[in-house]
Amino acid sequence: MSKILVTGGAGFIGSNFIRLLLQRGGHQVVNLDALTYAGNLESLADVANEPGYAFVKGDIAERDQVEAVFAAHRPSVVVHFAAESHVDRSVLDASAFVRTNVMGTQVLLDVARANGVERFVHVSTDEVYGSLGATGKFTESTPLAPNSPYSASKTGSDLLVRAAFHTHGFPCLTTRCSNNYGPFQFPEKLIPLMILNALDGKSLPVYGDGKNVRDWIYVTDHCSGILAVMERGRDGEVYNIGGNAEKQNIEVVKTLLGLLGKGEELITFVKDRPGHDLRYAIDNTKIRSELGWEPAHSFDTALRETVDWYRSNAAWCGSVRSGAYRDYYARQYDAR
Ligand code: NAD
Ligand code: TDX
């Protein structure tokens, strides 16, 4: 049985990953999370008392806190999700992104290496590759060309992970995934924001002309991909993860309105995101052919399930849309 330290496990993807690990069994899981605005232990309420699970509140950028977790729990595997994850917030202020994504990742690498960790899985994003034109897809050898402070900070973390492998022989692997959707996603991101606004009869703020393209993947498919990399990936390698579901934003928004039985008059085109990447698309050939991973969900079915989840989890949605959320929303959207 391995003991796995999951960082950022109170966030959207981390909480889904912990649930998957505990369902699979055979692992002990320690969740290290600072509980920022994006971290919510209610997302793990159903597993909080499982014997193989422990939570530690701590900041990955604080070396003494990270050392204390390793001393107390002695994990042999690290799966690193903890990050500042929202592009728009990085446009407003990039400092937390550099601190957590860059500095925090280096602290974690140092402490994990000093403690003899056998496998370090770094969860990254397709945004490190920059933006595509109308054709082509990102492969693992596409040059890194990040455009936002968020993606630049994630690229910094990817390069530090690469350096830990090449310099120290530390067994690291990196995953780069496309846009996720599904249960427990914080409603600052496109899909949950549009669902909750539509349910409230509020306007749906589409940036620019709505023709930017994202490549969507259901969160549990991302998690099964990370698990495959953790179990069977080759040290030092990068694995792209994507669900082959490219959509223009306006198409996603209109589909959501249809599923919710709401009219398109709610759509408002607002000022574009500065530096808005036009298109992302993932070539997932490597993980499919080398590790035998396949996404299990179609966009249409899983989007419907996601809408149902947000409809049936009003308490979770209410608690994450606190005063701090309302302040962010006003700052981000009122002047657009
Ligand atoms: P999220 O914002 O929902 O969760 C991030 C979690 O990290 C939160 O629980 C937060 O409390 C925690 N955290 C933040 N700073 C921390 C710190 N200094 N110390 C400890 N914990 C801290 O993010 P998410 O959408 O679940 O993304 C998880 C990871 O996956 C990120 O690394 C992100 O870059 C990557 N990723 C996300 C997507 C996506 O579509 N959401 C796609 C590809 C990759
Ligand atoms: O209100 C909005 N209106 C809008 O048109 C929001 C929040 C977004 N958008 C557009 C911008 C993007 O083209 O929708 C698209 C998706 O936006 P986000 O949900 O903010 O995601 P994105 O910027 O693509 O980044 C996401 O995918 C990669 C995650 O937030 C990252 O953490 C991940 O690395």
Side-chain angles (χ1 to χ4, degrees), residues 50-331:
E50 292 217 5
Y53 171 72
F55 172 70
V56 179
K57 184 172 188 294
D59 185 335
I60 59 160
E62 295 292 337
R63 189 172 298 260
D64 54 343
Q65 295 181 23
V66 177
E67 281 171 347
V69 175
F70 277 81
H73 293 279
R74 311 226 58 86
S76 56
V77 176
V78 174
V79 185
H80 175 35
F81 292 90
E84 288 293 334
S85 70
H86 191 38
V87 173
D88 291 328
R89 287 182 190 257
S90 81
V91 175
L92 295 172
D93 181 358
S95 52
F97 289 75
V98 176
R99 182 179 180 278
T100 289
N101 301 1
V102 182
M103 306 288 288
T105 298
Q106 186 61 48
V107 168
L108 206 56
L109 285 166
D110 289 344
V111 178
R113 188 164 60 84
N115 282 274
V117 160
E118 292 158 16
R119 187 143 264 225
F120 186 106
V121 180
H122 173 58
V123 179
S124 191
T125 168
D126 60 358
E127 297 196 21
V128 300
Y129 298 122
S131 185
L132 292 165
T135 58
K137 292 188 177 204
F138 298 131
T139 71
E140 289 80 358
S141 51
T142 300
L144 303 181
N147 292 318
S148 72
Y150 162 70
S151 54
S153 69
K154 289 297 289 187
T155 307
S157 66
D158 286 21
L159 295 178
L160 292 171
V161 168
R162 175 188 157 90
F165 175 74
H166 283 272
T167 303
H168 300 293
F170 185 53
C172 306
L173 305 93
T174 297
T175 61
R176 295 190 180 133
C177 189
S178 59
N179 286 61
N180 287 220
Y181 65 101
F184 302 108
Q185 185 168 32
F186 192 80
E188 63 190 353
K189 308 281 167 48
L190 180 77
I191 287 180
L193 185 139
M194 297 298 171
I195 295 172
L196 294 185
N197 278 18
L199 286 172
D200 289 349
K202 284 171 62 178
S203 69
L204 309 192
V206 174
Y207 297 162
D209 61 7
K211 293 196 173 144
N212 299 65
V213 172
R214 295 295 182 265
D215 188 357
W216 294 96
I217 184 168
Y218 192 57
V219 61
T220 58
D221 285 334
H222 182 193
C223 291
S224 70
I226 295 168
L227 197 62
V229 170
M230 185 188 97
E231 290 174 344
R232 306 190 292 283
R234 284 181 293 135
D235 288 348
E237 292 291 314
V238 172
Y239 294 90
N240 283 351
I241 305 177
N244 286 332
E246 282 186 60
K247 310 276 172 207
Q248 288 189 345
N249 294 334
I250 190 67
E251 190 186 344
V252 173
V253 171
K254 287 182 177 172
T255 306
L256 288 171
L257 286 170
L259 290 169
L260 289 158
K262 302 278 182 176
E264 292 183 9
E265 69 281 357
L266 285 178
I267 295 173
T268 314
F269 291 95
V270 300
K271 190 161 154 265
D272 209 353
R273 173 185 280 175
H276 196 175
D277 285 339
L278 178 65
R279 176 174 164 260
Y280 304 144
I282 279 276
D283 180 337
N284 64 11
T285 307
K286 180 174 175 181
I287 187 170
R288 285 174 54 239
S289 58
E290 205 178 297
L291 305 183
W293 170 88
E294 293 287 341
H297 296 85
S298 76
F299 183 76
D300 291 347
T301 309
L303 193 68
R304 189 172 307 116
E305 285 171 13
T306 302
V307 167
D308 290 344
W309 188 89
Y310 279 89
R311 268 184 164 142
S312 344
N313 285 274
W316 184 91
C317 297
S319 77
V320 302
R321 289 195 296 171
S322 63
Y325 177 78
R326 286 194 294 276
D327 292 347
Y328 163 75
Y329 197 93
R331 192 169 169 209

